């Protein structure tokens, strides 16, 4: 692989947004502690900072990059931080830091590859409750799944206030907890709003069908976010949860996620300690489910949900999901590029069979 730096990594440099011609000079090599092969170094002609191939990789500054892949796969298989640490002989805090860094990159990868949804018109939405630290501190997860591909479009996380009946032991526990930590905010509406607004941003002005249960607030929030472009279909929460239920894709996806994300398991030691860390954990799950695994186990073709939605020409491997840094927004190197030549926001002329880049590039996730 002959790597060519696609842009200057310094966000204040003119060659960051619009790299012109050969904006860099070759500047020797160095041997990283974790790789045997020498790493080429470069220097920007404008701002004169030096950088290397490593600067563009997700394992930039990692001491143990060889465990990134198992940490990624084990976190998406419901294994706890402590057990991963034991298996790979790293400390539990190192696994936590790695897990958070990987999750953050997978969040940006999803933002970059799916900043627009070129196809898909039917979306299924539902909320799910979990908790942080103790079962009385409820947390809301608002998730949207695309009907045909089962692509997890977005998940919003927020706190919930669900008070037990006055006089019960649980209520006394909640009262003591609120005395000590202040009144728990209820962000259910904000969560629903955030999830639907994210779908709106991805589909643009296209008309869509939204399927939800009959919770009263969904209709007004959907109308507020989508206006006339939504056809809202309601299903009773009492309808049998069979494959013919219109909410089957979201109900199943929530069950799969509770099984594979340790932080969502109620009767275990793995449950979430801080809701603020949940989005990174959910991003790891969604990345593997959306971009790597095939849609259903029974499918003959190895096409992930993102391939069904024309977001990528073929499913990505775990190595590709973890290769290039994605926190440069649409500037980031495309996961399918082996030499750094193709960026996420560019038309995929170089890759045969790849879909054209949807919509105009916008600064996302930078
Ligand atoms: Zn520069």
């Amino acid at each position: 692989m002959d790597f060519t730096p696609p842009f200057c990594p310094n966000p204040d440099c003119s060659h960051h947004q619009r790299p012109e011609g050969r904006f860099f000079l070759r500047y020797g090599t160095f041997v990283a502690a974790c790789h045997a092969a020498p790493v080429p170094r470069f220097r920007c002609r404008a701002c004169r900072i030096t950088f290397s191939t490593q600067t563009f990789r997700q394992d930039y500054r990692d001491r143990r990059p060889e465990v990134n892949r198992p940490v990624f796969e084990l976190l998406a298989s419901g294994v706890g931080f402590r057990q991963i640490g034991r298996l790979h002989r790293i400390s539990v805090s190192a696994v936590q830091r790695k897990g958070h860094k990987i999750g953050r990159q997978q969040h940006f990868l999803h933002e970059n590859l799916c900043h627009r949804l070129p196809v898909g018109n039917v979306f299924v939405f539902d909320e799910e409750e979990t908790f942080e630290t103790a079962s009385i501190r409820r947390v809301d997860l608002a998730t949207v799944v695309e009907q045909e591909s089962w692509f997890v479009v977005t998940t919003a996380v927020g706190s919930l206030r669900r008070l037990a009946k006055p006089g019960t032991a649980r209520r006394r526990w909640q009262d003591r907890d609120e005395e000590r930590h202040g009144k728990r905010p209820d962000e259910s509406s904000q969560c629903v709003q955030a999830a639907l607004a994210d779908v709106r941003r991805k589909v643009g002005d296209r008309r869509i069908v939204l399927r939800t249960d009959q919770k009263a607030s969904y209709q007004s929030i959907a109308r507020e976010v989508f206006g006339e472009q939504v056809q809202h279909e309601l299903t009773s929460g009492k309808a049998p949860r069979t494959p013919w239920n219109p909410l089957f894709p979201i109900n199943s996806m929530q069950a799969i996620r509770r099984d594979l994300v340790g932080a969502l398991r109620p009767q275990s030691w793995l449950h979430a300690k801080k809701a603020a860390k949940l989005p990174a954990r959910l991003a790891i799950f969604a990345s593997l489910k959306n971009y790597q695994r095939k849609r259903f186990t029974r499918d003959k073709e190895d096409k992930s949900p993102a391939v069904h939605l024309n977001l990528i020409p073929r499913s990505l491997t775990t190595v590709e999901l973890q290769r290039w840094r994605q926190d440069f927004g649409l500037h980031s190197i495309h996961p399918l590029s082996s030499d750094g030549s193709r960026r996420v926001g560019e038309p995929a002329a170089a890759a045969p069979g790849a879909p054209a880049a949807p919509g105009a590039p916008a600064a996302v996730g930078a």
Side-chain angles (χ1 to χ4, degrees):
M1 179 190 82
D2 192 18
F3 178 81
T4 309
F7 54 88
C8 173
N10 173 10
D12 300 325
C13 175
S14 59
H15 290 311
H16 182 71
Q17 289 291 342
R18 286 183 192 75
E20 282 168 21
R22 213 178 141 80
F23 69 90
F24 60 88
L25 297 166
R26 293 204 173 263
Y27 202 68
T29 59
F30 70 98
V31 178
C34 53
H35 297 293
V39 182
R41 209 198 302 261
F42 309 93
R43 184 172 197 173
C44 175
R45 286 176 192 263
C47 69
R48 306 189 70 74
I49 67 151
T50 57
F51 52 92
S52 73
T53 314
Q54 276 303 110
T55 316
F56 295 92
R57 292 183 56 93
Q58 284 187 30
D59 56 12
Y60 175 53
R61 288 185 172 160
D62 281 0
R63 280 166 193 263
R64 297 278 309 272
E66 78 282 4
V67 295
N68 290 1
R69 186 178 168 185
V71 168
F72 183 29
E73 289 172 341
L74 290 170
L75 281 179
S77 311
V79 182
F81 288 129
R82 239 167 256 282
Q83 188 61 15
I84 296 173
R86 280 184 209 114
L87 288 170
H88 290 281
R89 297 182 190 285
I90 46 176
S91 70
V92 61
S93 56
V95 184
Q96 283 170 330
R97 278 196 305 275
K98 264 192 191 299
H100 192 70
K101 183 177 172 185
I102 293 168
R104 195 173 158 270
Q105 286 295 328
Q106 296 311 310
H107 165 78
F108 288 131
L109 178 126
H110 177 66
E111 286 291 298
N112 293 342
L113 291 181
C114 177
H115 79 290
R116 292 279 188 278
L117 262 176
V119 286
N121 294 318
V122 184
F123 297 92
V124 199
F125 169 86
D126 201 10
E127 283 176 288
E128 180 186 10
E129 275 190 36
T130 181
F131 64 90
E132 55 178 329
T133 320
S135 69
I136 50 164
R137 297 195 191 144
R138 308 306 290 174
V139 170
D140 188 22
L141 304 179
T143 309
V144 182
V145 169
E146 197 275 326
Q147 166 85 26
E148 287 299 313
S149 61
W150 288 36
F151 182 82
V152 183
V153 182
T154 189
T155 303
V157 180
S159 65
L160 279 179
R161 188 166 185 257
R162 294 272 180 272
L163 293 181
K165 272 189 190 156
T168 56
R170 189 177 173 84
R171 178 61 179 269
R172 285 194 291 278
W173 183 16
Q174 285 176 320
D175 290 342
R176 283 197 304 277
D177 190 63
E178 291 207 339
E179 260 172 43
R180 213 172 299 152
H181 300 103
K183 188 177 159 187
R184 188 166 176 79
D186 195 299
E187 300 169 337
S188 170
S189 300
Q190 288 99 310
C191 257
V192 178
Q193 164 100 25
L196 296 186
D198 199 22
V199 176
R200 168 76 178 75
R201 187 167 61 82
K202 291 181 198 304
V203 299
D205 296 328
R206 203 161 73 229
R207 277 192 68 77
I208 62 148
V209 174
L210 180 69
R211 293 183 176 155
T212 69
D213 63 29
Q214 293 171 319
K215 189 171 166 181
S217 63
Y218 293 165
Q219 292 202 51
S220 57
I221 297 176
R223 183 66 51 185
E224 189 186 312
V225 172
F226 292 103
E228 293 299 317
Q229 75 182 96
V230 68
Q231 180 189 328
H232 194 173
E233 296 178 0
L234 305 173
T235 301
S236 165
K238 289 180 191 132
R241 296 198 163 196
T242 60
W244 293 275
N245 186 317
L247 304 180
F248 184 69
I250 186 76
N251 291 333
S252 305
M253 187 57 71
Q254 286 169 334
I256 296 167
R257 195 166 60 178
R258 276 196 302 277
D259 184 45
L260 293 179
V261 179
L264 299 184
R265 288 210 194 128
Q267 305 292 336
S268 81
W269 287 334
L270 303 182
H271 66 78
K273 311 303 182 292
K274 280 184 188 156
K277 302 275 184 191
L278 262 179
R281 302 289 301 278
L282 300 176
I284 290 176
F285 164 79
S287 226
L288 281 173
K289 199 88 191 105
N290 284 342
Y291 298 99
Q292 192 224 35
R293 290 182 194 153
K294 60 182 175 182
R295 181 179 55 165
F296 304 127
T297 316
R298 63 166 189 272
D299 281 358
K300 291 211 170 64
E301 282 182 304
D302 185 10
K303 287 164 86 177
S304 66
V307 177
H308 283 276
L309 288 178
N310 287 347
L311 295 172
I312 41 173
R314 63 161 170 83
S315 301
L316 302 176
T317 62
T318 321
V319 173
E320 286 162 346
L321 283 170
Q322 289 194 285
R323 186 157 48 185
W324 302 117
R325 269 173 71 179
Q326 295 295 311
D327 51 327
F328 295 116
L330 294 183
H331 248 36
S332 309
I333 300 174
H334 197 285
L336 284 171
S337 172
S338 58
D339 58 1
S341 60
R342 187 180 151 205
R343 292 194 259 162
V344 182
E346 283 172 354
V364 179

